[in-house]
Amino acid sequence: MLRFICPICNLPADETELTPGGEAHIQRKGPGSSDSEFYEYLFERKNPLGIHFERWLHSYGCGKWFHAARCTKTMEVFGTYKAQEVKPPRHIIDNIKKKRPNWKNE
Amino acid sequence: MIEVRKHESKEILIKEFEGVGMITLRGNFSNKSFQKALTESCKLGVPKPLSIKSNKDLSLAWMSPDELLLIIHTDGKTEKIKKELGFSLEGMHSLVLDVSGSRKIFMIEGTLWRELLAKGSPVDLRKKSFTKGSFLRTRIGQVSVAFWMVSNNSVYVICGRSYSSFFYEWLCNAAVDGSLRKFF
């Protein structure tokens, strides 16, 4: 089972207590963008077999959104961080690189 | 606080109450005036995350980084406290909302309450992790709840009013004689 430590209440929360929010760090493309950019923003999502950054909602706990880095293949969790971060913080990247030296952040 | 119904099994006593005063409070906890308003109207400070503070009449529980739940144990005081809080928080970005009517409260008594709750809840209920003063929001039997200890042998569980009859039946079923074994 997938278990995250909620970065807001510091409580371990399992998958059934959380609501998935899909891919993290998606930048909005609104008015002024091209059709293809808007299409990409709306529909194109990464679906890697490996390291993925995701949004999760602690719906049965504090009710707040947060970010998580995990491996979709092994369910290994590399860490969770606040929803306000616009990109994965340094310590999360370092943690992933330590465990998966061949991984490249796209 | 009016007792609606109760269920007694060999090990567990379950009581359902309604009419318990509850006020949802939202605001910036680090704001000095918010803290002052709380201490003036409730005589209680902001509780630490995942905890509850109580005095004779009131309990103040941490719900999320910007939300508190005030539980009024004395009947007929909710309106007064709500007004007081409303006055002292005026002009501040905050919320004071009476949610008494939308909640029910259950009291579970008996030495095996941890085992009972653990049947349907994913949280760590070991004696060293969940202690007196802890306050947790989670789910029990798919119902979102919050609970805290009253004494070593009793616990209060809050749930939404619309789920309360399902939850009551779930608890009674989980407390069937002989189905609980000492674990914690």
Side-chain angles (χ1 to χ4, degrees), chain A residues 61-88:
Chain A
C62 60
K64 299 286 172 196
W65 285 99
F66 65 90
H67 283 144
R70 63 148 180 149
C71 177
T72 55
K73 196 175 179 181
T74 62
M75 293 290 175
E76 185 178 0
V77 177
F78 299 101
T80 53
Y81 49 101
K82 294 253 163 88
Q84 285 75 18
E85 307 272 1
V86 289
K87 58 180 191 194

Side-chain angles (χ1 to χ4, degrees), chain B residues 10-11 51 73 78 105 118 121 154 170:
Chain B
K10 221 189 292 169
E11 292 117 350
S51 76
H73 301 295
T78 315
I105 194 162
S121 155
S154 55
W170 189 93

Side-chain angles (χ1 to χ4, degrees), chain B residues 48-115:
Chain B
K48 287 201 178 76
L50 309 172
S51 76
I52 186 164
K53 276 185 175 178
S54 302
N55 61 23
K56 205 165 105 287
D57 303 323
L58 306 164
S59 293
L60 192 60
W62 187 93
M63 298 288 272
S64 80
D66 55 1
E67 187 181 339
L68 297 170
L69 182 70
L70 183 65
I71 301 134
I72 298 112
H73 301 295
T74 324
D75 285 342
K77 271 199 171 174
T78 315
E79 258 321 291
K80 192 176 154 257
I81 289 171
K82 193 186 147 192
K83 259 190 201 139
E84 273 177 27
L85 277 167
F87 274 124
S88 42
L89 289 171
E90 207 177 335
M92 231 180 287
H93 184 65
S94 60
L95 169 85
V96 181
L97 182 69
D98 187 352
V99 291
S100 315
S102 60
R103 304 273 171 84
K104 285 224 183 167
I105 194 162
F106 292 81
M107 181 155 204
I108 301 169
E109 283 174 67
T111 45
L112 295 176
W113 67 265
R114 284 176 197 269
E115 284 77 0

Side-chain angles (χ1 to χ4, degrees), chain B residues 156-176:
Chain B
Y156 268 136
V157 185
I158 307 173
C159 87
R161 190 186 187 90
S162 52
Y163 300 119
S164 62
S165 58
F166 168 81
F167 187 54
Y168 178 77
E169 281 163 25
W170 189 93
L171 285 174
C172 296
N173 186 42
V176 164

